[in-house]
Amino acid sequence: MLTSISTMGQYTFKGSIDPQQWGETVYLSIIDDYRKSSSIYTDQIFLKTNTDSIGNFHFTGNELEPANRIYRIHVDNCNDTVQWKNHFYGYCKESKSFTFIANNSDTITLPMSFDNEIFCTIETSNPKTSVFSRIDSIREEMKFAYGELQSEASRKMNDKKWFKTFQDFGMKLNEPLAELYIYSFLSDRTSPQYAFYLEDLKNSTYYDDLLQRLNKSYPNTIYSSQYASELASDKYMISSGRSTFTWPKILFTLLFTISFIGNIFLIVKLRRITSKQAPVTPLTQQEQKIAQLICQDKSNKEIADELFVSVSTVKSHINNIYKKLNVQSRDELKFFQSKN
C-alpha cells in the first residue's frame, strides 16, 4: 500500500534515439507560450538526460503539474556554444522534436521505428498525448491544398474550408490545449490567412466559446490568460478599424515610409547645398587658388607646398572659404564649384 501511494503522480517519459546521429543528450521542455509550440526554444528546457550506450533515454519524477500541460522532448546536434544562435528564431534543422500533452502521472514511450526514425511511434497512457501529431498531419494536407491551385478564388475557398475543418476537429478532440495549438497558426499575423482570421473573428462565436472551454478546463493558467489577452487585442483592432492592415500591407507601408523619409532627407540636403551657390562674400585670389586645388583632391600639405605657405595658413584659408560659401566639407565645396 505504501509503495502504491509513493508511486502515485509519477511520470515516465522514455524512448530510444540513434546516439551516433543525435548524440547522447535528450532535452525535456515545458511550453507555457502556446505560440512557441511548433519550434524549439532553449529557454523552455527544464531537464536533460544522457542516453545509455545503445541510445535509450529516460525521464521520470513527480515534479510536473497534475493537470495536462504542453511539453516537448527534443535532440539537438548544435553544440552548447552556438546553440542559442541556431535557436534564436525557434528553428534549427539540426534538431528533432516531439511536442505533446501530458501530466504528472503519464507514461509515454517513444521507440525508434523500423527505419531508425525517432519520435514517430508513440505509446502512451494519455489519449491526449499525440493530438499535436494528428493536427500536424491535417496541416500537411492543408499546405498541399493551398499549393495545388494558387489563385485568389482558390485561396478564399481554402480559407473557409480549412478554418472550419480545424475548428471542428479541435472541438472533437475535447482538449482546449489542442485548440490553442490550432489557433496559434490560424491567427498568426505573418500568415496569409490572417485577414480571413480577423473576418472570422468578427462573425464567429467559436473564439469566445474556446475561451470559455479554456477557463473551465485550465482556470488561472498562463494558457487561458494569454489567449484572453490576444483575443481582446484582436477584437480591439477590429473595432478600431485597423483590421485592414494585413501583414503584406504592413510590410509595404513600412518600406514605403522608410523610402519616403529617405527621399525627403536627400531632397532637403540637395536644396540646402544648392541654396549655397551665391556666396555672401567673394573669395580672395588666394582663397580661389586653394578652392581650385581642393577640387583637384590636393591635401593640405600639397596645397601648402604649392603655394609656399604653412599648413596652418592653408587651414585658416579653408575655414574662411567654408564660411564665405556656407559649406561644411570638401565634398560640398566641390559640389558648389561644379555648379559655378
Side-chain angles (χ1 to χ4, degrees), residues 234-278:
D234 288 342
K235 285 185 175 182
Y236 171 77
M237 181 164 52
I238 292 172
S239 65
S240 61
R242 301 176 186 177
S243 59
T244 55
F245 286 92
T246 59
W247 73 269
K249 292 181 181 179
I250 293 173
L251 179 61
F252 175 80
T253 302
L254 179 61
L255 293 175
F256 175 81
T257 302
I258 294 173
S259 176
F260 179 77
I261 294 174
N263 288 333
I264 291 296
F265 174 78
L266 291 175
I267 291 171
V268 170
K269 185 175 180 65
L270 288 175
R271 285 183 177 178
R272 182 171 64 84
I273 295 173
T274 305
S275 67
K276 301 168 185 173
Q277 293 181 358

Side-chain angles (χ1 to χ4, degrees), residues 41-181:
Y41 296 86
T42 55
D43 60 336
Q44 300 170 335
I45 298 171
F46 70 96
L47 283 177
K48 66 178 181 178
T49 188
N50 291 330
T51 66
D52 61 20
S53 59
I54 59 174
N56 296 320
F57 66 87
H58 189 251
F59 292 102
T60 189
N62 59 2
E63 69 271 20
L64 303 189
E65 293 289 335
N68 283 342
R69 294 290 186 269
I70 304 174
Y71 298 96
R72 176 187 294 111
I73 290 174
H74 83 274
V75 289
D76 197 329
N77 279 337
C78 304
N79 62 60
D80 292 339
T81 58
V82 298
Q83 191 178 69
W84 68 272
K85 294 181 181 178
N86 289 320
H87 292 297
F88 186 78
Y89 295 105
Y91 171 76
C92 179
K93 64 181 180 181
E94 296 299 324
S95 299
K96 190 82 170 178
S97 65
F98 169 61
T99 304
F100 58 99
I101 293 174
N103 58 58
N104 197 49
S105 60
D106 284 339
T107 298
I108 300 173
T109 304
L110 302 168
M112 283 196 296
S113 64
F114 67 93
D115 53 355
N116 289 334
E117 284 292 326
I118 60 173
F119 307 152
C120 292
T121 304
I122 305 165
E123 300 170 4
T124 175
S125 61
N126 187 340
K128 306 293 180 64
T129 294
S130 60
V131 293
F132 290 164
S133 299
R134 295 164 63 188
I135 292 169
D136 286 338
S137 297
I138 302 176
R139 194 175 178 183
E140 288 301 315
E141 295 179 27
M142 180 187 74
K143 290 180 181 178
F144 177 79
Y146 275 96
E148 191 173 24
L149 185 59
Q150 299 181 4
S151 67
E152 183 68 14
S154 175
R155 185 187 63 78
K156 289 181 179 179
M157 292 293 293
N158 275 316
D159 285 344
K160 184 176 181 180
K161 169 188 173 182
W162 288 104
F163 265 69
K164 180 169 176 51
T165 297
F166 275 113
Q167 290 169 358
D168 289 347
F169 183 74
M171 287 189 290
K172 288 179 181 178
L173 292 173
N174 192 29
E175 177 48 72
L177 294 185
E179 293 186 82
L180 283 184
Y181 184 69

Side-chain angles (χ1 to χ4, degrees), residues 166-227:
F166 275 113
Q167 290 169 358
D168 289 347
F169 183 74
M171 287 189 290
K172 288 179 181 178
L173 292 173
N174 192 29
E175 177 48 72
L177 294 185
E179 293 186 82
L180 283 184
Y181 184 69
I182 293 171
Y183 171 78
S184 67
F185 63 81
L186 290 182
S187 64
D188 186 352
R189 296 191 179 192
T190 65
S191 167
Q193 287 78 46
Y194 182 64
F196 185 87
Y197 156 70
L198 292 177
E199 288 298 317
D200 197 46
L201 180 59
K202 286 193 295 186
N203 303 316
S204 174
T205 62
Y206 168 82
Y207 304 95
D208 290 326
D209 294 341
L210 173 55
L211 181 58
Q212 292 181 7
R213 291 193 291 274
L214 273 169
N215 286 330
K216 181 179 179 180
S217 299
Y218 300 98
N220 304 316
T221 63
I222 192 169
Y223 300 125
S224 300
S225 60
Q226 180 184 356
Y227 177 74

Side-chain angles (χ1 to χ4, degrees), residues 16-23 54-55 112 116 118:
S16 300
I17 64 170
D18 182 356
Q20 293 185 343
Q21 180 180 3
W22 295 106
I54 59 174
M112 283 196 296
N116 289 334
I118 60 173

